[in-house]
């Protein structure tokens, strides 16, 4: 009888230790899933912050270059329509000024850097999308490990009672699969 009681106590202690160990493992895995989700949110926020800032920057360059081109165009039109020496002189001064600004832009921004800025915007967006993909993969991997753990024996016997339920995978909606349109 004494051995039977000791056997039962040993089995109960082993079961309790397994539950405590399993609980601690579930807590750790759950926190890992939460941390990975936080990184997904962080990268999504990065994209939300990055896109308007980069678009605004590129628009700033495009507007500046557009202003220079417009100034050159307007000055050339005035020069072409000038009738008097005074009008030609004034128009020529405008063309010279506009061309000076254009050359300054060209010196500072070879090929006027419109293409470079656009490429930079594309690179930044691609980099951000890659970061999101990595964060999403890391999150889904941690969810897979967590879900496998709570569905495996013996953990499945007590995980639900302890408040651990399967976590959802990060699935991209069809509308989110489209590449964001950036218009200038």
């Amino acid at each position: 009888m004494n051995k039977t009681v000791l056997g039962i106590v040993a089995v109960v202690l082993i079961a309790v230790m397994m539950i405590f160990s399993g609980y601690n493992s579930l807590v750790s895995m759950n926190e890992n899933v939460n941390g990975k989700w936080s990184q997904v949110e962080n990268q999504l926020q990065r994209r939300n912050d990055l896109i308007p800032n980069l678009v605004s920057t590129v628009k700033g360059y495009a507007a500046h270059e557009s202003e220079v081109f417009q100034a050159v165009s307007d000055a050339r039109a005035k020069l072409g329509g000038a009738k008097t020496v005074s009008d030609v002189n004034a128009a020529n001064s405008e063309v010279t000024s506009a061309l000076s600004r254009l050359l300054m832009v060209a010196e500072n921004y070879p090929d006027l850097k419109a293409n470079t800025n656009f490429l930079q915007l594309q690179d930044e967006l691609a980099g951000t999308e890659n970061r999101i993909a990595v964060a999403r993969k890391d999150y889904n991997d941690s969810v897979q490990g967590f879900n496998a753990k709570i569905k495996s024996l013996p953990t499945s016997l007590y995980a639900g009672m302890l408040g651990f339920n399967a976590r959802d995978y990060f699935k991209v909606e069809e509308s989110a699969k489209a590449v964001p349109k950036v218009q200038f």
Side-chain angles (χ1 to χ4, degrees):
M1 179 123 181
N2 208 3
K3 288 184 179 185
T4 306
V5 171
L6 283 176
I8 292 172
V9 169
V11 167
V12 168
L13 278 175
I14 289 172
V16 167
M17 288 174 56
M18 285 179 60
I19 290 174
F20 281 138
S21 174
Y23 177 80
N24 289 338
S25 176
L26 288 174
V27 167
S28 177
M29 291 178 85
N30 190 52
E31 286 304 311
N32 185 43
V33 170
N34 290 340
K36 299 294 184 185
W37 179 248
S38 177
Q39 285 304 310
V40 170
E41 290 179 323
N42 184 27
Q43 295 307 321
L44 291 172
Q45 186 62 49
R46 174 184 161 74
R47 179 177 57 188
N48 286 341
D49 292 344
L50 178 67
I51 291 172
N53 290 338
L54 287 175
V55 169
S56 176
T57 299
V58 172
K59 276 185 174 179
Y61 281 117
H64 178 67
E65 293 170 5
S66 175
E67 180 183 329
V68 169
F69 286 128
Q70 189 63 46
V72 170
S73 178
D74 291 346
R76 286 183 66 220
K78 282 185 181 179
L79 186 59
K83 303 282 187 218
T84 66
V85 172
S86 179
D87 290 340
V88 169
N89 217 6
N92 187 52
S93 291
E94 284 188 40
V95 168
T96 301
S97 176
L99 285 175
S100 293
R101 286 187 287 160
L102 180 64
L103 291 173
M104 284 176 38
V105 169
E107 286 176 16
N108 293 330
Y109 307 102
D111 296 327
L112 300 176
K113 297 264 184 162
N115 290 335
T116 303
N117 287 323
F118 184 73
L119 291 174
Q120 179 185 0
L121 174 61
Q122 285 181 318
D123 287 347
E124 288 293 328
L125 289 174
T128 300
E129 292 302 323
N130 287 337
R131 287 178 182 202
I132 291 169
V134 168
R136 185 172 54 232
K137 180 196 176 303
D138 290 347
Y139 170 76
N140 283 341
D141 288 348
S142 66
V143 166
Q144 181 182 16
F146 179 78
N147 287 350
K149 176 84 171 175
I150 67 170
K151 292 177 182 178
S152 301
L153 286 174
T155 310
S156 64
L157 299 174
Y158 58 85
M161 291 184 292
L162 296 175
F164 295 101
N165 299 308
R167 300 290 292 265
D168 293 330
Y169 288 95
F170 185 94
K171 295 178 183 173
V172 179
E173 296 177 21
E174 289 301 315
S175 62
K177 289 180 183 178
V179 176
K181 286 188 177 181
V182 179
Q183 297 178 342
F184 298 101

